[in-house]
Amino acid sequence: MEKLDRRKKKEKRRTTAAVENPANHCCRRFSISLSRRWLAGLHSCRFSNSYRHSFSQLLRFTLVTEVDSVWNKTWQELHQRFFFIIILLFTKKGFTHSAYTFGNEAAINKCPIDGNLVPTGALVTFVQKGLQYFEMEANLNNCDAEVDEDFSFLQPLDLITKDVHELRQMVSEKRKKLPKERNKELEKEHEAERGRAREKERHQREKEVEKDREKERVKIAKEREHVNKTDREVVRDQDKVAAKHTDREVIRDQDKVTAKHTDREVIRDQDKVTAKHTDREVVRDQDKVTAKHTDREVVRDQDKVTVKHEVNGTVGVGPEPMEICTTSTSQPRQIPSSDVTILEGHTSEVCACAWCPSGSLLASGSGDSTARIWAIPEGRSKPGSQSVLPDALVLKHVRGKTNEKSKDVTTLDWNGEGTLLATGSYDGQARIWTTNGELKSTLSKHKGPIFSLKWNKRGDYILTGSCDQTAIVWDVKAEEWKQQFEFHSGPTLDVDWRSNTSFASSSTDNMIYVCKIGETRPVQTFAGHQGEVNCVKWDPTGTLLASCSDDITAKIWSLKQEKYLHDLKEHSKEIYTIRWSPTGPGTNNPNKKLVLASASFDSTVKLWDVELGKLIYSLSGHRHPVYSVAFSPNGEYIASGSLDKSLHIWSLKEGKIVRTYAGSGGIFEVCWNKEGDKIAACFANNTVCVLDFRM
């Protein structure tokens, strides 16, 4: 009866609170209902890996805003804000028609809300609040005395598909099973502890037995040594005694012979001696002749052996070089820790890194709202230098507190002279810095995060691609935007200069546009991909354009025709990035063949013959998606970094791994310095590693 009275009182308080403040009650119920429908829709949708990667970046980098104040607004204002957030999501995802229809039906044009003030991620925060309340409601029973019980976390699918009564039953069953599970866990821990104790005792007994055996072996060895020494001394004494007796007997016999022999016997003995000498001389002469014959035979035999070896040499010199080579069959050599310098200082994952083209400076960009310029000593790192980290200039993208997700550094690039560093941030601003860490200028025009940023070769323009579906060319000297290109219908994922005035851009709308400064329409349009185009890159001469997509293909294009020249289809999952080799005409290695490398979520790197459109090598050494590849300056090696925390260096001549390094986090980007003796890699564990490379 007391429990029933408490439940009635609690239900009465809940009803009274809902009547006194109906807006709060309706908002919470509406949030829960809409959260369940929204997550059910997300659960049934199938997004591409590239879009999931971009969307996860959006969620990871967005401002975590306080939405609790929304509950105090009127229902009409909350209604308008909520629909406005949904329209923004439709627009960013590319469903412009749905967003337009939804806006008209919701009369959003009459809404006084400024869309720029609505923070990114507000819908997700709104849904999270509803699910958190729903989960809390399921864990709180009507009896206030049970509030201190363990909180049970529920699966998202259960929160979406079940009502609060079913969830409470699930929580109750979990709590009933909890003591049994705890007892089982304790029993397992005790059993494991007993097993470890038994194992320890066994090891101890084995050690003691081994010590006893060793002592016994030492004792036996000493006894044998003593016996052998005694035997040798006895034999030596016997030999001495025997030698003395023999000497005495010989002397005595000689004396007897001398006394008994007559002159005739002496003469006869002399004759015998003469005969013996003659015989000896004959034997000696025969030996000489025999030796001469033997020497001739030996020389002749050696000549035969030499001739045989020469004949064998003319028939086959040995195995071919590829058969002799051991690098193809032996395990790749690990880069020693003495050749690794770990740069620490960032407080969040490091997304980008780039070497200065004119010096030993390394730039890195991170999710901690900073970029850093590291002064790396030239030459091989000295032993013990890992404990003395190079100096770093911190380029802060936010004033005051750090780790503002809207200020995350997403991309960076050096100008050709190596005097200026440009960074792109999640706040939609591009910034230009000097090598001393001084902020030279801030370029503001984009309305969304910057995903790609590049200097042109002349260094007078910067090109940026943004989530706001546009690409902008900036005049560096004037510190203002020169032209904005609004051709894509989805976020711009990548941009790349063809010359000082023309470039290519790719987007989630599956399209590629070639644009030129001063032109209001694209110079060329490439339509052939069936999925989001993640990366575009011009070859060293600006003649061929390579692209890769979520449609599991890479394509090679020419401005002379609208259709692709080659369609590269050997990958089994989405291709994340591509790179041209620094070889062929227009490069420092004109006598080497031009090849294209592609890195995919299928854990492989593939090398392509661009003239024939054929696969040369499929480099299979990673276990997880490969996010970055980079060619060495001489074009003989390629480095690859993966989410499996490993960096591999491959020989293009053999198609095999020649060096490898295992880090402590997933690798987002790798790059070589201009000399080709150092490789930088940025990791998800907030570090940057510099590896010395030599063969």
Side-chain angles (χ1 to χ4, degrees), residues 166-210:
E166 294 175 329
L167 294 176
R168 283 179 176 171
Q169 291 178 359
M170 293 175 61
V171 171
S172 178
E173 291 175 358
K174 283 186 177 181
R175 288 174 177 170
K176 289 179 181 178
K177 295 179 181 178
L178 189 59
K180 296 181 180 179
E181 294 176 353
R182 286 179 177 174
N183 292 334
K184 289 182 180 179
E185 292 176 355
L186 290 174
E187 184 63 28
K188 287 182 180 179
E189 291 178 358
H190 292 323
E191 183 64 27
E193 188 66 28
R194 289 193 293 269
R196 286 192 292 268
R198 288 194 297 269
E199 187 69 17
K200 187 176 180 180
E201 292 176 357
R202 187 177 64 82
H203 282 298
Q204 190 66 26
R205 287 196 300 270
E206 289 178 354
K207 287 182 179 179
E208 292 175 356
V209 171
E210 186 64 27

Side-chain angles (χ1 to χ4, degrees), residues 418-463:
T419 56
L420 296 174
L421 174 69
T423 61
S425 174
Y426 202 79
D427 62 0
Q429 293 182 343
R431 295 171 175 84
I432 302 176
W433 312 79
T434 66
T435 54
N436 297 325
E438 178 186 353
L439 180 59
K440 185 175 182 294
S441 58
T442 302
L443 310 175
S444 301
K445 175 69 173 174
H446 283 297
K447 297 180 181 179
I450 295 177
F451 288 157
S452 181
L453 177 148
K454 300 287 175 58
W455 287 85
N456 66 347
K457 292 183 180 180
R458 197 161 51 203
D460 54 347
Y461 291 137
I462 291 178
L463 174 63

Side-chain angles (χ1 to χ4, degrees), residues 32-63:
I32 294 167
S33 176
L34 188 58
S35 300
R36 296 170 64 182
R37 294 181 183 179
W38 170 251
L39 288 182
L42 286 180
H43 183 73
S44 61
C45 288
R46 181 183 179 272
F47 297 98
S48 65
N49 277 353
S50 177
Y51 187 83
R52 284 197 296 269
H53 175 66
S54 301
F55 192 70
S56 64
Q57 278 191 332
L58 287 173
L59 294 181
R60 194 168 66 246
F61 295 155
T62 50
L63 285 168

Side-chain angles (χ1 to χ4, degrees), residues 91 97 148 173 331 335 446 533 614 641 668 681:
T91 304
H97 180 72
D148 293 333
E173 291 175 358
Q331 292 293 328
I335 296 178
H446 283 297
V533 184
K614 300 295 184 181
F668 291 138

Side-chain angles (χ1 to χ4, degrees), residues 148 181 415 477 610 623 637 650 688:
D148 293 333
E181 294 176 353
N415 66 345
K477 187 175 181 180
V610 295
R623 303 184 306 276
Y637 303 97
W650 311 76
V688 180

